[in-house]
Amino acid sequence: MATAVTANRAELIAIADAVAREKLIDKGIVIEAMEDAIQRAARSRYGAENDIRAKLDPNTGDLRLWRVVEVVEAVDDYFKQVNLKEAEKLQKGAVVGDYIVDPLPPIEFGRIAAQAAKQVIFQKVRDAERDRQFDEFKDRVGEIITGVVKRVEFGHVVVDLGRAEGVIRRDAQIPREVVRVNDRIRSIILNVRRENRGPQIFLSRAHPDFMKKLFAQEVPEIYDGIIEIKAAARDPGSRAKIGVISHDSSIDPVGACVGMKGSRVQAVVQEMQGEKIDIIPWSEDTATFVVNALQPASVSRVLIDEEDDRIEVVVPDDQLSLAIGRRGQNVRLASQLTGKAIDIMTEADSSEKRQKEFVERSEMFQNELDVDETLAQLLVAEGFGELEEVAYVEIDELAGIEGFDEDLAGELQNRAAEALERREEANRTERKALGVEDDLAGMPYLTEAMLVTLGKAGIKTLDDLADLATDELVQKKRIEPRRRNEDAPKRTEDKGGILASYGLSDEQGNEIIMAARAHWFEDEDAAKAEVEAEAETNADQETGTSGAEDAVAESEQ
């Protein structure tokens, strides 16, 4: 009998060692899982109400099983308590309040108990394995890893990473790349999430950071930090652009990335399935960087609209198709690289646009300021485009225009101010007709024109405005780069916030919304004060009633 017990002990320890090695987890976790399983089996045998503990020696396999009971004077719970007389039999010198150990004999595992124990151990080990996998990969986001393709499910590639599995989703793969089971594949760890079914490791071969990391592996100067990749954009499987800068004036960043006879860049191109890569010198000057980003097309002129965060690029007529690229690819990648929306137009288009703007602004000044065509055109030629610019500019700047004097400048400013007031009054009338409450006019930064826009969008009360989020109110429009070739997809536009066209910042939007919400807090404070006043009044009334009752009682006595 003793031999059988010894063999069983040795088997338990051997199983714990094998599981710990296979799952790459601590042996102590497996031992703890076994103890938990034995405890559950013992509770099933002796009663679930008992506080039963099990201890398995990780070296010898010796198993101790006991019940913990509390010493009390009067027993209420016979499963967890014992009186002083019975406690003396278990432990000499026991006193009330002690917790003592009541040894239990080993139990025989039946088929059901053994199956339950197996499930407990399996669950504990699986949880420990998942925690180990998450802890191992959570700090490796952004790292390139090599794995073996295990299977392909619904277009998603499952990769064996050795100690875990990762998945390359369909949208994170290089288009038209053929992947087969047992292929070795490199990818970047994009994200690691802890989920109920275990840690999910998401990989990518289409992300721009994958290309950056490949260059860091091939170009020692990037790995050492001498050359930095400041921006990257990809059309996976087709074309990519990277903007590089050198922190050492003696090293050419583009040449270092290309390598001798293109060896370095070719290694990256092969890994990315022949994706063509444009390596561009990065510049802090936005215009210069845009010109570089649109290579190989040449650029005549760059106009930057800081308010709308857009860039207008003028190119020669014969460079238009090259600047746009096939299906708008070149301008799209340049836009992603610079983070700006880019409009491409020819010299003729640009001239036509400028002429149209010139005529529109001249007519506006003629009508609003009641001046002749020559004077209106002179204002536009000097860079004035809005009534506000005429009304609020320093008078010396107006008077300094050739043919102007201070009297004429003063008269123009007065007329501009009157025109603005007429606009404001017209907007005020329209705002009231739309039913926009006067309370909204007291909000910071909001003009009558903005209130009209809000009214047309259905925002007519403080509560309507307070319910908005900042991006719903002031988020700027995001427009895809303009494409002028027939094959390009249609231009799409994100309408942005309701007041997006007025150039308000996010901070100003927050301030407007918080000012609209202020009355909510005032109402809460008023309600709280009313409740407190009512409670105080009731207390005074109760005190008065009590005093009257006491007086009556005294008089009766």
Side-chain angles (χ1 to χ4, degrees), residues 16 46 54 107 116 152 187 218 245 295 302 337 343 365 380 394 403 418 438 444 477 489 495 499 503 535 550 553 557:
Y46 294 110
I107 61 171
V152 179
S187 54
E218 298 295 335
I245 187 173
Q295 292 178 2
V302 176
L337 198 67
D343 285 339
F365 281 138
V380 177
E394 293 292 336
E418 291 172 0
D438 291 339
K477 295 180 181 180
K495 294 182 179 179
L499 302 181
D550 291 343
Q557 290 176 357

Side-chain angles (χ1 to χ4, degrees), residues 455-466:
K456 291 179 178 178
I459 309 302
K460 300 181 180 181
T461 67
L462 280 180
D463 286 334
D464 292 339
L465 182 59

Side-chain angles (χ1 to χ4, degrees), residues 163-381:
R163 298 184 176 183
E165 286 184 356
V167 61
I168 307 177
R169 294 184 295 190
R170 188 178 303 173
D171 59 352
Q173 299 170 27
I174 297 175
R176 296 177 296 280
E177 181 180 23
V178 179
V179 178
R180 298 182 179 87
V181 176
N182 295 327
D183 282 354
R184 293 187 65 81
I185 192 170
R186 282 202 289 179
S187 54
I188 189 171
I189 300 176
L190 203 60
N191 191 15
V192 180
R193 293 206 301 257
R194 190 194 293 272
E195 296 185 2
N196 292 334
R197 54 180 176 171
Q200 298 298 300
I201 303 170
F202 296 100
L203 311 174
S204 176
R205 285 175 57 79
H207 198 277
D209 286 348
F210 179 60
M211 178 175 62
K212 288 183 181 181
K213 292 294 182 180
L214 288 175
F215 269 106
Q217 289 183 352
E218 298 295 335
V219 183
E221 291 86 350
I222 294 179
Y223 182 82
D224 294 336
I226 299 172
I227 294 175
E228 181 183 356
I229 299 177
K230 299 288 286 187
R234 288 183 65 188
D235 191 350
S238 178
R239 192 172 177 185
K241 290 178 182 283
I242 61 169
V244 294
I245 187 173
S246 174
H247 298 297
D248 186 339
S249 58
S250 64
I251 296 178
D252 173 26
V254 176
C257 291
V258 172
M260 186 70 67
K261 296 183 179 180
S263 58
R264 292 175 173 177
V265 71
Q266 281 304 314
V268 178
V269 168
Q270 289 174 9
E271 180 63 39
M272 299 197 308
Q273 302 299 303
E275 192 171 311
K276 296 178 181 178
I277 303 174
D278 296 336
I279 303 173
I280 298 159
W282 186 84
S283 174
E284 289 186 358
D285 180 60
T286 303
T288 302
F289 188 38
V290 168
V291 171
N292 294 340
L294 285 170
Q295 292 178 2
S298 60
V299 175
S300 302
R301 191 166 59 254
V302 176
L303 304 174
I304 300 175
D305 185 344
E306 294 183 354
E307 282 191 6
D308 290 339
D309 204 25
R310 301 183 63 81
I311 297 176
E312 185 178 289
V313 177
V314 181
V315 299
D317 291 354
D318 60 346
Q319 295 286 304
L320 179 62
S321 59
L322 189 61
I324 294 174
R326 186 171 180 269
R327 297 187 178 276
Q329 185 184 68
N330 193 50
V331 67
R332 183 171 65 251
L333 290 176
S335 179
Q336 293 174 11
L337 198 67
T338 58
K340 308 284 186 181
I342 298 176
D343 285 339
I344 303 288
M345 58 179 59
T346 62
E347 293 279 8
D349 292 333
S350 178
S351 176
E352 181 184 343
K353 180 182 177 182
R354 290 200 307 272
Q355 184 64 30
K356 183 179 179 182
E357 289 178 350
F358 186 88
V359 171
E360 289 176 349
R361 290 173 180 175
S362 298
E363 290 178 350
M364 183 270 294
F365 281 138
Q366 280 183 259
N367 296 329
E368 297 289 356
L369 301 180
D370 191 21
V371 296
D372 59 27
E373 183 180 358
T374 303
L375 189 57
Q377 290 179 353
L378 189 55
L379 283 172
V380 177

